[in-house]
Every structure is written in C-alpha cells, then in structure tokens.
Amino acid sequence: MLNVAVLVSGGGTNLQAILDKIQEGYMPEVKIVSVISSKSDAYAIKRAEKYNIPVKIIPRRDYGDNRSFSRALIEYMQSIKVDLVVLAGFMYILSEEFIDTYKNRIVNVHPALIPAFCGEGYYGIIPHEKALEYGVKVVGATVHFVTKECDGGPIILQKAVYVKEEDTPESLQKRVMEEAEWNILPEAIKLISEGRVKVEGRKVRISQTVN
Ligand code: GAR
C-alpha cells in the first residue's frame, strides 16, 4: 500500500479527483493517510472530511517563512507514515530540507505545459492569463516530481488542451482542470503505486509492466 499525504491550500478539486478515483477502485494500492491544509478555511478540508480522511491544518500564516512552515510539515508527516507527498493546489514553495527529506517522493500538479508558464509567481489562474496574453494555441497540465528548482523537476505526465477563440482565463482554467489535471494527477499516483515510475536524471521512465 502506498501511503499518501495530500497537501492543499484551496478548493481541492484535484483532491476530489483523487478521492473519486480511489472510490471507483482505480488505484487499489493507494491510501490517503492525511490531507494537510495550509489554510483553515480551505474547501478541500470539507471534501476530505466527507471521506473520513484525517485532516491536519498547519496554517502558513502561523510561520514567519517557508522554512519554518516546511519544518512543521515535516514534523507532522514524520509522526505518520508517508510514502508519497502530493501537492494538489498547494500554493507555497517547500524548503530544501523538505525536498531532501522526501526526495523523488513529492509530486506536484501544475496548470501549464512545463517549461511554459511556470516557475515562481505562476500559480492558480496566472498561467492561464499569461497563456492567453501570449496567444498560444495549446495549453495543458503537468505532473512532475518536486526538486529545488521551482516547477523544474522530472516530468511524469503531461496532457494538452486546445485554446478556443472565446476562452477567458477562467474558462481555460476550468477546461485544463477537467480535461487534464483531474486525469493525469490520479494516473501519476496510480503509476507510482504500481512501482512503474523511475527517475533517471531529469527524465522519468514509465514501464509498461507492473513491477
Ligand atoms: C489547480 O489548477 C492547480 O494546478 C493549481 O492551482 C489549482 C488548485 O485547484 N496549482 C498551482 O498553481 C500550483 N503551482 P484545486 O485546489 O481545486 O485542486
């Protein structure tokens, strides 16, 4: 069984997609052991509670910087057994200590096709605003391992979505979530739980057969 901690900051629709897939029996080897929220009023908390998943609130605003906040996250996660950390709409940059502690065991979903529209400052609706401003015709989402370089870790899965003439940042965000994020995040977790994901340098190899 792969014990997963999901870190959230907001609405939690990506968390919901994972919960739905678990419910459907799509990833029998995955167990969500905790949902950790950086905000006490995140709607994601309600979603977790509905499934009786333990919720831990560690408010970012209680800490002076990301380093001390990350330390609190590590301390909590070491008190439970966590094999994989999933950042699902988690809006803070984790410390080097956190990333070293969970090396190749942290995945993030980013609402763009990395290396486009990513890095510091690109979160939430912003990548969609920038994509429309730039005039790209294809956008999408990426699931990647988290390294010290913001949004720069090895890419596990990506999915493209076409931009429509009439798109607004909001309509694009919605379609990228529905068509890309909510599919590739659960898929990446499932592949990891099956032992099919191997990091080789900056590349990820996905084996066809279950180990
Ligand atoms: C999602 O689009 C996610 O990709 C993005 O925030 C949204 C959270 O939605 N994450 C980032 O921008 C992180 N850099 P959710 O709370 O409904 O899953």
Side-chain angles (χ1 to χ4, degrees):
M1 199 53 100
L2 186 79
N3 288 336
V4 176
V6 184
L7 273 58
V8 296
S9 298
T13 63
N14 277 288
L15 168 67
Q16 187 68 54
I18 300 166
L19 293 171
D20 289 345
K21 294 280 189 182
I22 291 175
Q23 191 89 333
E24 284 167 22
Y26 173 72
M27 32 191 182
E29 291 304 312
V30 175
K31 183 177 182 203
I32 302 188
V33 290
S34 186
V35 168
I36 305 170
S37 177
S38 62
K39 288 202 182 94
S40 56
D41 59 352
Y43 189 70
I45 296 169
K46 292 214 164 48
R47 297 181 193 271
E49 283 171 351
K50 223 169 141 186
Y51 287 73
N52 292 322
I53 290 168
V55 172
K56 177 77 176 173
I57 300 168
I58 303 182
R60 169 64 181 84
R61 64 162 178 222
D62 287 0
Y63 299 87
D65 52 25
N66 280 341
R67 208 153 57 103
S68 52
F69 174 54
S70 298
R71 178 103 279 280
L73 292 170
I74 295 170
E75 275 167 20
Y76 169 66
M77 288 203 308
Q78 284 178 339
S79 73
I80 53 176
K81 189 185 167 303
V82 175
D83 302 313
L84 182 74
V85 180
V86 174
L87 310 184
F90 185 72
M91 295 303 175
Y92 301 98
I93 291 173
L94 296 162
S95 69
E96 294 201 357
E97 183 193 12
F98 190 104
I99 292 163
D100 286 339
T101 308
Y102 293 96
K103 188 170 187 307
N104 289 343
R105 291 192 291 146
I106 312 166
V107 300
N108 178 47
V109 60
H110 182 75
L113 291 174
I114 291 173
F117 309 113
C118 64
E120 258 187 271
Y122 283 81
Y123 58 86
I125 193 90
I126 298 168
H128 306 291
E129 290 170 350
K130 299 285 182 198
L132 287 181
E133 269 169 41
Y134 198 96
V136 294
K137 303 295 187 192
V138 181
V139 292
T142 303
V143 177
H144 64 94
F145 283 108
V146 172
T147 59
K148 288 166 196 172
E149 188 193 337
C150 181
D151 292 334
I155 291 171
I156 307 167
L157 293 173
Q158 291 187 301
K159 186 147 190 253
V161 172
Y162 284 108
V163 177
K164 293 181 182 169
E165 207 59 54
E166 65 275 18
D167 264 324
T168 61
E170 290 74 19
S171 68
L172 202 53
Q173 180 180 46
K174 183 166 179 283
R175 226 167 46 258
V176 167
M177 282 178 157
E178 289 170 353
E179 293 179 17
E181 296 186 47
W182 301 345
N183 293 312
I184 62 173
L185 183 58
E187 190 182 348
I189 298 168
K190 177 188 166 76
L191 289 168
I192 293 169
S193 76
E194 293 171 343
R196 292 169 60 187
V197 175
K198 219 165 129 199
V199 180
E200 289 175 6
R202 70 148 297 107
K203 289 191 189 159
V204 169
R205 224 170 266 288
I206 297 174
S207 58
Q208 294 307 309
T209 49
V210 177
N211 281 339

